[in-house]
Amino acid sequence: MNRNHIPSLDDLRAFEIVARLGSVRAAAKEIALTHGAVSRRIIKLAQEIDVTLFERKGRGIRLTVEGEKLAKATTEALALLSTTLTDIKIPHKMSPITLSCERSVALHWLIPRLSVFQDANPTIELHLSVGGGTFDFTTDSISLAIRRMDFPINPDWIVEPLMQESMGPVMQPSMVSRFQEGDFVALASTTRPDAWEKWRAGHKSTPAPSKTLFLDHHFLIVEGAINGLGVAMCPKVLAVDALKQGRLVAPYGFSSDNTNYALIHTNKSTEDDQFNLVKDWI
């Protein structure tokens, strides 16, 4: 039989359901047709292929040998067709890529750049998780991490340097003269309480602040500096955008603290093309 002689799909579907349920009445209920409509489809199919598909068994029916063969083939064909239609109607959804990043770096460096990446790669589902210090890829359910390299890591992980860490005082442009006169509040993060002391050790000619205000995170002291609360001793990466926009200035520049930020991942991750796009973008 050539393809032009393949029976109606509706007739084959009705036959497959009757064969599977063993009852015309049950099949009619499943496909919302009358008992007579289903019977006519079965008769039409049998006549078209010139094969007896069912035979009487008491008050019911049962498949003939030929009917069993056609029922098996029809079930398999319909299952394959259903799977294929699902695949082409619903695009394959990749597992989301979860990036773990220190909170301050995420807020002041990563997020401002994220929309450009998402616009260019709309099919990549990138989740952002904030966190610092040690982590575990499996238990924390993350794909890659951005960290300041000031703690030991698993030697089997891949570490790709991103940028050198450097610190310096940043302030509103109008705050420069007060800074030089020592009439300013030093903003410091509790995560690096000795940052001002270390910086002033290398800049002995600068005056001491009138007082020091400690906040919980670097992103808070950056926001404090932007809003005139004081002068923040912060990493350059957190102030780079505000410096470009003129909202902050760094009259003394930034000094390296001999650490760096890195992108950390495992060998297995690089087998994923979408992961590599995210990694290359970072």
Side-chain angles (χ1 to χ4, degrees):
M1 178 182 293
N2 63 43
R3 292 184 181 180
N4 292 330
H5 295 154
I6 292 178
S8 160
L9 184 60
D10 287 337
D11 295 344
L12 286 168
R13 181 167 174 262
F15 163 70
E16 191 276 336
I17 296 173
V18 172
R20 176 160 44 86
L21 299 180
S23 164
V24 173
R25 190 175 303 279
K29 184 176 180 180
E30 179 168 318
I31 56 179
L33 291 175
T34 65
H35 182 283
V38 174
S39 295
R40 285 192 293 273
R41 288 187 178 183
I42 301 301
I43 293 170
K44 177 173 172 286
L45 174 62
Q47 291 175 342
E48 190 170 346
I49 63 175
D50 194 22
V51 171
T52 300
L53 299 174
F54 293 98
E55 58 187 9
R56 289 289 177 184
K57 182 183 179 183
R59 293 185 178 181
I61 56 174
R62 68 179 179 187
L63 287 165
T64 62
V65 174
E66 293 81 3
E68 289 180 353
K69 291 180 181 179
L70 182 60
K72 182 176 182 298
T74 304
T75 298
E76 292 173 353
L78 290 175
L80 176 60
L81 183 58
S82 176
T83 300
T84 302
L85 287 172
T86 299
D87 287 345
I88 63 177
K89 284 184 176 180
I90 304 176
H92 180 57
K93 187 174 183 181
M94 301 294 291
S95 298
I97 297 170
T98 301
L99 168 62
S100 173
C101 184
E102 294 181 0
R103 183 179 282 103
S104 294
V105 176
L107 286 172
H108 282 276
W109 181 72
L110 185 64
I111 290 178
R113 292 158 175 77
L114 190 56
S115 63
V116 175
F117 175 79
Q118 289 184 323
D119 289 344
N121 302 276
T123 62
I124 296 180
E125 187 177 353
L126 179 60
H127 293 180
L128 184 59
S129 172
V130 293
T134 58
F135 62 91
D136 183 270
F137 284 108
T138 302
T139 58
D140 295 331
S141 299
I142 61 177
S143 311
L144 66 168
I146 295 175
R147 287 291 190 277
R148 177 171 173 253
M149 300 304 295
D150 57 354
F151 62 93
I153 65 166
N154 189 318
D156 294 329
W157 293 348
I158 298 174
V159 179
E160 301 187 35
L162 286 178
M163 64 193 91
Q164 192 174 53
E165 175 75 300
S166 56
M167 302 287 290
V170 297
M171 63 203 80
Q172 283 186 344
S174 60
M175 185 80 67
V176 175
S177 59
R178 290 177 56 186
F179 175 75
Q180 293 171 340
E181 295 168 2
D183 180 24
F184 70 97
V185 174
L187 303 177
S189 170
T190 55
T191 57
R192 292 191 224 177
D194 58 350
W196 269 104
E197 181 181 347
K198 287 182 177 179
W199 185 84
R200 292 194 67 244
H203 299 78
K204 297 185 184 298
S205 62
T206 57
S210 57
K211 70 174 183 177
T212 300
L213 176 63
F214 288 93
L215 301 177
D216 286 343
H217 300 284
H218 278 104
F219 72 86
L220 293 176
I221 67 172
V222 174
E223 288 300 320
I226 289 173
N227 289 282
L229 183 62
V231 177
M233 181 59 61
C234 76
K236 181 179 179 180
V237 64
L238 305 187
V240 64
D241 288 342
L243 291 170
K244 287 180 180 178
Q245 296 159 2
R247 294 188 295 164
L248 292 176
V249 294
Y252 289 84
F254 297 87
S255 303
S256 171
D257 73 349
N258 298 315
T259 63
N260 66 288
Y261 285 96
L263 182 66
I264 309 168
H265 58 89
T266 64
N267 248 328
K268 186 177 181 181
S269 300
T270 58
E271 299 171 4
D272 187 325
D273 291 340
Q274 292 199 346
F275 172 89
N276 288 326
L277 280 173
V278 174
K279 182 172 72 71
D280 293 344
W281 165 68
I282 294 172

